[in-house]
Amino acid sequence: KAGVTQTPRYLIKTRGQQVTLSCSPISGHRSVSWYQQTPGQGLQFLFEYFSETQRNKGNFPGRFSGRQFSNSRSEMNVSTLELGDSALYLCASSRDASSYNEQFFGPGTRLTVL
Amino acid sequence: DQQVKQNSPSLSVQEGRISILNCDYTNSMFDYFLWYKKYPAEGPTFLISISSIKDKNEDGRFTVFLNKSAKHLSLHIVPSQPGDSAVYFCAARPYNNNDMRFGAGTRLTVKP
């Protein structure tokens, strides 16, 4: 069974630009969550999508948004990039959004904002 | 608001000995706890989990212990192997919500 895949793996953007990251969950998984990892803040929850609906949202500004498609693939968008958005963005999938199901992570997208 | 804390940034043990990684949490709504292992430039890899109805879960060399009254959990690795060297993250969430909160991580080094 293929794992969680994320594209692209590396991205370099400049301040003010926008970026879209993509995540394909494990087959059969309907919940997709996004996390940001930085050296200073660690791993922080961005949001979760289930059945094309955002179920939970972390404490990030509105510049961070996402969506989920009917095949459970998800995209995350960051608009008006700031230097502080440089981070490893991780996507995780699980069977559903309830009960004791572990989340499986993709390799991440390393975003550098210059 | 650090709801999950790993107070030891690093731990060094000798190969073959026991590694004990600790984690504390503050949110009483958490009832599902997970440990992940992470290598540089990779996503976290799920290791083991425990629900609040249990106080111990074992999987091979890995055992997680949960003390709900103390809001404390620990991961025991026995025997430790050099390949276990990585950063270990403790994570917690309510059972019906995938908003998972992570600790800051503990870097484990297992010396041959």
Side-chain angles (χ1 to χ4, degrees):
Chain A
K1 196 183 234 186
V4 178
T5 58
Q6 292 186 247
T7 56
R9 292 294 310 278
Y10 303 92
L11 207 49
I12 299 176
K13 292 284 188 179
T14 56
R15 277 183 300 174
Q17 287 187 310
Q18 75 156 20
V19 66
T20 299
L21 312 181
S22 181
C23 172
S24 292
I26 292 171
S27 177
H29 285 192
R30 296 166 63 194
S31 170
V32 174
S33 299
W34 288 89
Y35 294 84
Q36 180 197 64
Q37 185 182 24
T38 59
Q41 300 297 320
L43 269 157
Q44 292 188 289
F45 173 77
L46 279 155
F47 32 65
E48 180 208 7
Y49 285 86
F50 180 77
S51 292
E52 302 178 64
T53 302
Q54 187 180 90
R55 286 180 58 103
N56 296 290
K57 189 176 191 305
N59 190 27
F60 278 81
R63 299 185 298 107
F64 292 81
S65 63
R67 59 178 176 167
Q68 187 180 34
F69 302 95
S70 58
N71 62 357
S72 294
R73 190 177 70 85
S74 177
E75 288 182 346
M76 189 193 107
N77 185 76
V78 188
S79 61
T80 320
L81 284 166
E82 300 177 359
L83 295 179
D85 297 333
S86 294
L88 180 67
Y89 289 90
L90 292 158
C91 163
S93 77
S94 64
R95 290 192 186 280
D96 56 43
S98 63
S99 77
Y100 301 113
N101 287 315
E102 57 270 18
Q103 294 182 37
F104 294 91
F105 284 83
T109 294
R110 171 71 63 185
L111 172 65
T112 302
V113 182
L114 302 176
Chain B
D1 178 18
Q2 196 73 13
Q3 299 184 41
V4 179
K5 295 181 183 178
Q6 293 177 258
N7 292 319
S8 299
S10 63
L11 175 68
S12 181
V13 300
Q14 206 65 37
E15 181 179 6
R17 306 294 283 267
I18 184 171
S19 295
I20 300 177
L21 296 97
N22 294 302
C23 178
D24 297 293
Y25 62 97
T26 57
N27 191 335
S28 300
M29 298 299 292
F30 291 153
D31 59 4
Y32 188 43
F33 306 90
L34 307 93
W35 284 93
Y36 286 86
K37 175 181 177 181
K38 189 177 186 302
Y39 295 113
E42 293 183 11
T45 302
F46 170 74
L47 271 177
I48 192 169
S49 63
I50 189 168
S51 67
S52 59
I53 59 175
K54 295 184 175 180
D55 54 19
K56 177 183 174 181
N57 189 26
E58 196 171 350
D59 184 3
R61 295 185 299 113
F62 302 91
T63 303
V64 56
F65 295 92
L66 175 63
N67 183 333
K68 282 176 290 185
S69 60
K71 292 191 174 66
H72 176 84
L73 63 154
S74 61
L75 175 68
H76 292 208
I77 306 174
V78 183
S80 301
Q81 301 173 353
D84 296 330
S85 297
V87 178
Y88 288 76
F89 289 95
C90 167
R93 66 172 177 86
Y95 89 97
N96 62 348
N97 184 322
N98 266 337
D99 177 356
M100 198 156 58
R101 302 300 168 110
F102 283 83
T106 296
R107 181 176 299 278
L108 173 66
T109 303
V110 181
K111 298 179 180 178

